[in-house]
Amino acid sequence: PEVAKLLASSDRWLRLNGLTTLEPDVAEALAGHPGWLTLNGLESITPEAAEALGKFHGETLDLNQLQVLDIEVAERLAEAKPSNTLSFNSVKTLSPEVAAALVAGNHRHLSLQGLEDLPEESLKILRRHQRRKLEANTGGMLLPSKFDLSNR
């Protein structure tokens, strides 16, 4: 955790893509990073580590190798408040519960560019979120183009 605290004190882009596991105390130290935090080596994350990362208030949080988001992890990660983007670009599908948890978060952009399958109810949740973000001019969603987020 001491090394993580030292790294997190930098205001530069912090790329820790070689990190394949994340202990909660290390996650908590990294959550203090004020800039762009990239943890693209993590393919999974425990609810405890997700809770610690939920304290992130930096610019962007990239978790682009996570394949699956369950509700427990999604709720905790949605607590993160990046000033720009919360990114999960390897997640292949979202249950309606996970979609609702993610859009409840306070982030400018939500990036889910790796989605391959999306239940209709999840798509409806994302559409409502996108409409609110666009109407308020406070950001939006980044999804593969095959998922139409226009109002229906």
Side-chain angles (χ1 to χ4, degrees):
E2 295 307 314
V3 172
K5 284 180 189 173
L6 182 62
L7 290 170
S9 68
S10 166
D11 62 353
R12 298 178 183 260
W13 188 352
L14 186 53
R15 296 180 197 112
L16 299 174
N17 297 331
L19 198 61
T20 58
T21 62
L22 188 62
E23 296 299 321
D25 56 344
V26 172
E28 187 164 350
L30 294 175
H33 181 61
W36 195 315
L37 178 58
T38 302
L39 300 170
N40 290 338
L42 297 176
E43 293 182 3
S44 65
I45 188 169
T46 66
E48 296 78 18
E51 183 172 352
L53 276 182
K55 298 174 183 158
F56 179 79
H57 290 196
E59 182 181 339
T60 294
L61 178 58
D62 283 341
L63 296 162
N64 289 327
Q65 286 304 312
L66 290 182
Q67 304 286 317
V68 175
L69 279 176
D70 64 38
I71 187 63
E72 194 173 10
V73 167
E75 286 174 339
R76 287 172 166 91
L77 289 173
E79 293 294 317
K81 294 176 178 64
S83 60
N84 193 4
T85 304
L86 185 57
S87 183
F88 304 103
N89 288 332
S90 289
V91 171
K92 305 298 182 208
T93 190
L94 290 179
S95 70
E97 297 80 17
V98 169
L102 290 177
V103 301
N106 186 22
H107 37 268
R108 185 165 175 77
H109 299 286
L110 179 61
S111 184
L112 297 160
Q113 296 187 53
L115 286 176
E116 294 175 356
D117 179 50
L118 203 52
E120 188 60 33
E121 186 58 32
S122 297
L123 187 56
K124 287 178 185 177
I125 291 166
L126 297 179
R127 281 185 184 131
R128 283 192 301 269
H129 177 70
Q130 176 76 346
R131 185 174 57 247
R132 284 191 307 270
K133 287 289 205 178
L134 292 175
E135 287 171 358
N137 195 29
T138 59
M141 307 267 307
L142 302 167
L143 299 179
S145 60
K146 70 179 182 177
F147 296 110
D148 179 13
L149 290 177
S150 61
N151 294 331
R152 287 187 184 189

